[in-house]
């Protein structure tokens, strides 16, 4: 694939969205007549297809060292995901916002957000990458304030605004340290030096370079944790469900994945330094642990999905900490499409919940869990034995426990025939997982760093978290009516009270003013001040 030709063509994509956003603005009178959203959808899909096709056909060598934007297999997959999700959301929003005065404004900022995401992904320059990251956050902030009369949405947007500035400071510090270490702002040049130094260990770098790059790796890890809404910086993600469904879907299915992409883009740097890996492993690991438990206590569909996003993003960061970059890329793409579907289909959740209650499902007993664990362990052990895998054990443990829960829950309310079907489904899914991981490693990420060693300290830490989470999940289901379990569930329902202190800090730093229209004879407007006391 020619980076030069395809990158130039793909730069036209964000420019196209930027131009279309001008026509989509609220002051434009031609929006409804010209069906701007249809032009934006089909135009973006056609431009993406042409640029990728030209890049695949054109094999001319490209001078990459001085290009502000470049294209790689990794970037192609992520951009393809972004464009597909954007097209789906714009099509969905056409019916969702029927009769809403804010629709032109939504369409404008939606396209500017997508344009900023594509620029960030294509960036081969630290300054371009940073400004693209900043533009994504500012564009999304306007989407979160589509309904400024919703107090929870405004507070969540303000918390997101402050955290976004914090992540940008950490990223700016990391990029400054990288420039001081390598005297270049081009990302591919920096990664090239790191890739050459990796086989010789960090001793191939000077003492100053080692200090600078260690600090840069840690700053990037912290920026990714903040961007992916990991505990305790998660509250805005939970509250943001007050925003319209297409905005929530864009955030959960697309924008929040940039934290994972940041780690993939700088994988050689993260892989060289264990402090950065431990920052990710501890921060994201604990977030996975508590977010997954808190999700089980929620009854609102969107709030459950928000907690799920925090947990899933944490799992993706843990995969990067373990050096499982191919698995992280698969996770990024799969999570994007799943979350887009889940949010856009959230209206059907009421009927699904009613069907579930009517069926009166039986809680799995100890025998069900033991039987499912035995069957799943045999399947995973066979897959592990016949593969040439030599990386960490924790992903295989996670797969084992996940399918154990899947089989135990389904077989608790069915006969023996259903067990055979579920075993077959498990074998097919595990085979697809293994094949997809091998394909991504071989064709999309062939030169990425190797994963951490089997049973390394960070691998043992992740296995301990996964095992404890599984045991607590069973205990909460089996002994759900016990007093101490009820107390624990109350604590989880409150999110461990971690968000309360950050909300107070946010309102102290920046009191929020809401405009609330009153329905009296004079239609007067009152100003409600939040956090003024």
């Amino acid at each position: 694939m020619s980076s030069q030709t395809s990158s130039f063509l793909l730069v036209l994509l964000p420019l196209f969205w930027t131009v279309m956003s001008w026509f989509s603005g609220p002051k434009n009178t031609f929006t409804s007549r010209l069906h701007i959203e249809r032009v934006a959808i089909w135009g973006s899909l056609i431009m993406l297809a042409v640029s990728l096709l030209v890049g695949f056909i054109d094999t001319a060598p490209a001078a990459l060292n001085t290009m502000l934007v470049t294209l790689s297999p990794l970037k192609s997959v992520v951009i393809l995901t972004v464009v597909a999700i954007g097209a789906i959301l714009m099509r969905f929003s056409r019916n969702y916002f029927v009769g809403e005065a804010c629709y032109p404004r939504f369409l404008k900022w939606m396209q500017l957000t997508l344009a900023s995401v594509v620029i960030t992904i294509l960036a081969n320059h630290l300054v371009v990458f940073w400004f693209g990251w900043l533009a994504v956050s500012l564009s999304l902030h306007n989407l979160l304030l589509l309904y400024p009369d919703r107090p929870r949405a405004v507070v969540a947007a303000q918390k997101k605004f402050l955290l976004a500035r914090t992540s940008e400071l950490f990223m700016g510090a990391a990029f400054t340290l990288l420039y001081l270490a390598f005297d270049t702002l081009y990302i591919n040049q920096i990664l090239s030096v790191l890739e050459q130094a990796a086989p010789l260990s960090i001793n191939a770098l000077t003492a100053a370079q080692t200090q600078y790059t260690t600090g840069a790796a840690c700053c990037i890890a912290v920026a990714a944790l903040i961007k992916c809404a990991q505990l305790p910086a998660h509250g805005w993600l939970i509250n943001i469900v007050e925003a319209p469904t297409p905005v929530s879907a864009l955030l959960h299915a697309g924008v929040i994945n940039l934290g994972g992409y940041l780690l993939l883009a700088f994988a050689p740097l993260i892989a060289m330094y264990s402090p950065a890996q431990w920052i990710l492993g501890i921060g994201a690991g604990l977030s996975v642990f508590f977010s997954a438990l808190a999700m089980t206590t929620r009854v609102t569909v969107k709030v459950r999905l928000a907690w799920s996003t925090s947990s899933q993003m944490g799992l993706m960061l843990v995969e990067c900490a373990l050096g499982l970059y191919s698995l992280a890329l698969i996770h990024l793409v799969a999570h994007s499409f799943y979350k887009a579907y889940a949010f856009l289909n959230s209206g059907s959740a009421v009927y699904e919940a009613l069907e579930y209650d009517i069926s009166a499902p039986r809680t799995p007993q100890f025998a069900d869990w033991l039987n499912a664990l035995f069957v799943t362990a045999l399947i995973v052990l066979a897959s592990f034995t016949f593969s040439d895998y030599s990386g960490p054990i924790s992903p295989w443990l996670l797969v084992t426990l996940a399918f154990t829960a899947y089989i135990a829950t389904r077989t608790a309310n069915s006969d023996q025939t259903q067990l055979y079907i579920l075993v077959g489904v498990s074998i097919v899914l595990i085979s697809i997982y293994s094949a997809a991981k091998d394909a991504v490693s071989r064709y999309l990420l062939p030169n990425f760093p190797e994963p951490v060693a089997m049973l390394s300290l960070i691998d043992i830490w992740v296995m301990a978290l996964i095992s404890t989470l599984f045991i607590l999940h069973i205990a909460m289901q089996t002994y759900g009516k016990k007093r101490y379990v009820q107390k624990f569930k109350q604590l989880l329902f409150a999110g461990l009270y971690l968000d309360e202190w950050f909300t107070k800090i946010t309102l102290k730093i920046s009191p929020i003013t809401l405009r609330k229209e009153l329905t009296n004879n004079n239609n007067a407007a009152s100003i409600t001040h939040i956090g003024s006391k």
Side-chain angles (χ1 to χ4, degrees):
M1 178 178 290
S2 172
S3 296
Q4 192 168 6
T5 305
S6 298
S7 301
F8 173 75
L9 291 174
L10 278 175
V11 167
L12 298 179
L13 180 58
L15 292 177
F16 169 74
W17 271 329
T18 303
V19 173
M20 295 304 296
S21 69
W22 184 83
F23 287 103
S24 305
K27 296 182 179 180
N28 193 289
T29 59
F30 301 100
T31 301
S32 59
R33 194 189 327 172
L34 294 180
H35 300 289
I36 296 299
E37 76 284 350
R38 295 182 181 178
V39 178
I41 291 172
W42 288 106
S44 60
L45 292 176
I46 292 172
M47 294 179 69
L48 176 66
V50 170
S51 59
L52 294 181
L53 179 62
V54 170
F56 182 78
I57 295 175
D58 186 4
T59 59
L64 302 180
N65 290 338
T66 57
M67 292 180 62
L68 294 179
V69 294
T70 56
L71 189 65
S72 64
L74 166 64
K75 294 182 177 183
S76 300
V77 171
V78 178
I79 289 177
L80 181 61
T81 303
V82 170
V83 174
I85 295 296
I88 293 170
L89 295 182
M90 281 192 282
R91 176 62 185 86
F92 177 87
S93 64
R94 184 166 56 186
N95 295 330
Y96 182 89
F97 284 104
V98 169
E100 293 281 353
C102 65
Y103 177 57
R105 189 155 50 94
F106 163 81
L107 205 56
K108 170 186 176 181
W109 290 110
M110 172 79 166
Q111 292 173 100
L112 288 176
T113 302
L114 293 173
S116 302
V117 170
V118 173
I119 286 294
T120 304
I121 295 170
L122 287 174
N124 185 43
H125 195 277
L126 295 177
V127 176
V128 176
F129 193 107
W130 191 88
F131 275 105
W133 187 282
L134 174 65
V136 172
S137 176
L138 296 179
S139 300
L140 181 64
H141 184 74
N142 285 275
L143 286 174
L144 299 180
L145 295 176
L146 278 179
Y147 295 114
D149 56 337
R150 297 182 179 181
R152 287 170 58 89
V154 175
V155 174
Q158 190 67 10
K159 288 192 288 187
K160 168 68 171 63
F161 185 86
L162 294 178
L163 284 170
R165 304 292 80 76
T166 305
S167 70
E168 287 149 14
L169 287 176
F170 276 101
M171 188 181 298
F175 289 175
T176 302
L177 291 173
L178 288 176
Y179 174 74
L180 293 175
F182 301 105
D183 195 26
T184 180
L185 292 172
Y186 290 95
I187 297 174
N188 64 319
Q189 294 180 357
I190 295 173
L191 297 182
S192 177
V193 175
L194 292 173
E195 290 170 359
Q196 293 174 8
L200 304 174
S201 78
I202 59 176
N203 294 328
L205 302 176
T206 65
Q209 285 180 322
T210 301
Q211 291 179 351
Y212 289 145
T213 51
T214 302
C218 293
C219 287
I220 287 177
V222 174
L225 288 172
I226 296 174
K227 187 67 174 181
C228 289
Q230 300 301 280
L231 274 66
H234 68 291
W236 66 270
L237 185 67
I238 311 303
N239 300 144
I240 218 65
V241 295
E242 292 286 329
T245 296
V247 177
S248 299
L250 173 66
L251 173 61
H252 289 263
V255 174
I256 200 169
N257 288 306
L258 282 176
Y261 172 76
L262 175 66
L263 297 182
L264 290 172
F266 291 91
L269 177 65
I270 301 298
M272 288 185 68
Y273 299 104
S274 58
Q277 295 171 350
W278 275 107
I279 289 174
L280 294 171
I282 294 176
L286 292 176
S287 188
V288 170
F289 184 86
F290 288 109
S291 296
L293 290 174
M295 181 185 67
T296 62
T297 65
R298 315 303 292 210
V299 293
T300 307
V301 177
K302 283 189 174 183
V303 176
R304 284 176 64 92
L305 290 175
W307 279 107
S308 170
T309 297
S310 180
S311 179
Q312 291 295 323
M313 290 297 99
L315 183 57
M316 183 170 62
L317 299 186
V318 168
E319 291 161 357
C320 292
L322 293 170
L324 299 169
Y325 298 107
S326 57
L327 182 57
L329 178 58
I330 295 173
H331 197 159
L332 187 153
V333 175
H335 179 266
S336 295
F337 285 102
Y338 163 70
K339 274 297 158 65
Y341 169 79
F343 270 95
L344 300 186
N345 191 53
S346 59
S348 304
V350 176
Y351 302 102
E352 295 174 359
L354 290 174
E355 292 177 358
Y356 182 80
D357 293 337
I358 292 173
S359 64
R362 180 176 69 87
T363 302
Q365 303 299 314
F366 181 76
D368 298 318
W369 289 108
L370 193 61
N371 187 35
L373 179 60
F374 177 74
V375 172
T376 307
L378 288 179
I379 298 173
V380 174
L381 183 61
S383 301
F384 180 79
T385 303
F386 290 103
S387 66
D388 57 352
Y389 181 81
S390 60
I393 300 296
S394 50
W396 292 97
L397 176 64
L398 177 61
V399 170
T400 302
L401 298 183
F403 279 102
T404 296
Y406 169 70
I407 294 177
T409 305
R410 294 299 183 92
T411 55
N413 301 281
S414 61
D415 54 16
Q416 193 70 17
T417 305
Q418 184 71 11
L419 175 61
Y420 301 140
I421 297 175
L422 293 175
V423 169
V425 171
S426 301
I427 293 174
V428 171
L429 291 177
I430 291 175
S431 301
I432 293 175
Y433 154 75
S434 300
K437 183 179 178 299
D438 292 339
V440 170
S441 299
R442 182 175 303 177
Y443 299 109
L444 297 181
L445 309 176
N447 299 320
F448 267 54
E450 294 294 326
V452 301
M454 185 183 299
L455 294 180
S456 62
L457 289 178
I458 191 169
D459 188 25
I460 295 173
W461 159 255
V462 175
M463 286 193 292
L465 283 177
I466 294 172
S467 302
T468 307
L469 175 61
F470 182 74
I471 293 171
L472 282 177
H473 175 67
I474 296 177
M476 289 172 62
Q477 282 196 334
T478 307
Y479 306 104
K481 295 184 179 180
K482 298 289 185 179
R483 182 179 178 183
Y484 57 87
V485 176
Q486 292 290 336
K487 291 278 188 181
F488 185 56
K489 285 185 176 180
Q490 291 177 4
L491 185 63
L492 291 175
F493 184 82
L496 307 181
Y497 300 100
L498 293 174
D499 185 49
E500 275 66 17
W501 67 268
F502 189 76
T503 301
K504 292 179 181 179
I505 293 175
T506 301
L507 297 178
K508 287 289 185 181
I509 295 175
S510 177
I512 299 169
T513 301
L514 301 175
R515 180 172 295 279
K516 184 177 180 182
E517 298 296 334
L518 299 180
T519 56
N520 53 17
N521 295 333
N522 298 324
N523 292 324
S526 67
I527 303 297
T528 304
H529 293 278
I530 297 180
S532 57
K533 296 183 180 180

